Amino acid sequence: MHGGEESAAYRLDGHVIRVGPARRAAAESEWCHAIARHAAAGLPEAVAPLPTAEGTTVIVVGGRPISCWPYVEGTWPDSDIPAQREAGARLLARLHRSLADFRPGPRPVPAFQESGLYGDPPQDAAELDDPGLDRWLAAFHAEYPVRHPLHGDYHTGNTLAGDGRIVAVLDIVDLRPVRSRQSDSHATTDVDTGPSRACGRRRRG
């Protein structure tokens, strides 16, 4: 199947078999899947992996995490169409509300977007060092320590549209500290793709 930057996906009738990268541990995939399953319980558009007979969502074959997902018919929405852009923003807000009470615990392996997010200088982009912003971030996280899951990679390629509406949201895999309603207020800005978050975070200084 087309799409995916880290994983390969193969359609098998009404299912999609997803083959993850060898460097990703099963525990990390299970952690991400738990967020997707929680979202899917209250949001019809959220797509979650199917559990095995043992209740897990990942098996490891040849060192790679393998998972099985329901196939959803659709095409990528067009963010240049105002109605689809608004629908995407509203869906993101609904997704974040559905996850607001879920506490999955620490991610087994920190996401790459977390580098420099908590007030520590970014280790992967020394040229973006900004002490003033780092102090602001450290104070922010001290004041707002509660975290809840957010969609860390929301763009048209992680959604599907059909019959004039968005029918699926994919890859719900992140956990961030947020202020009340912060995720909703940022929904409209997250619909379109943009620079990497490691770079984008530095614009606030």
Side-chain angles (χ1 to χ4, degrees), residues 68-143:
C68 180
W69 303 69
Y71 174 76
V72 179
E73 186 71 41
T75 58
W76 289 340
D78 187 346
S79 60
D80 289 332
I81 299 175
Q84 292 195 14
R85 189 164 60 244
E86 179 180 348
R90 292 185 181 280
L91 175 58
L92 181 62
R94 289 170 50 221
L95 171 65
H96 288 170
R97 291 190 190 106
S98 75
L99 294 170
D101 62 347
F102 186 50
R103 301 291 180 266
R107 184 175 179 137
V109 178
F112 76 91
Q113 299 100 323
E114 293 185 80
S115 175
L117 188 62
Y118 304 109
D120 52 312
Q123 302 301 313
D124 57 345
E127 69 276 11
L128 296 178
D129 187 33
D130 186 334
L133 177 58
D134 291 333
R135 287 192 295 271
W136 184 92
L137 286 168
F140 175 90
H141 297 309
E143 185 176 359

Side-chain angles (χ1 to χ4, degrees), residues 28-39:
E28 183 180 5
S29 295
E30 291 279 5
W31 184 91
C32 296
H33 294 173
I35 295 175
R37 294 177 70 182
H38 182 89

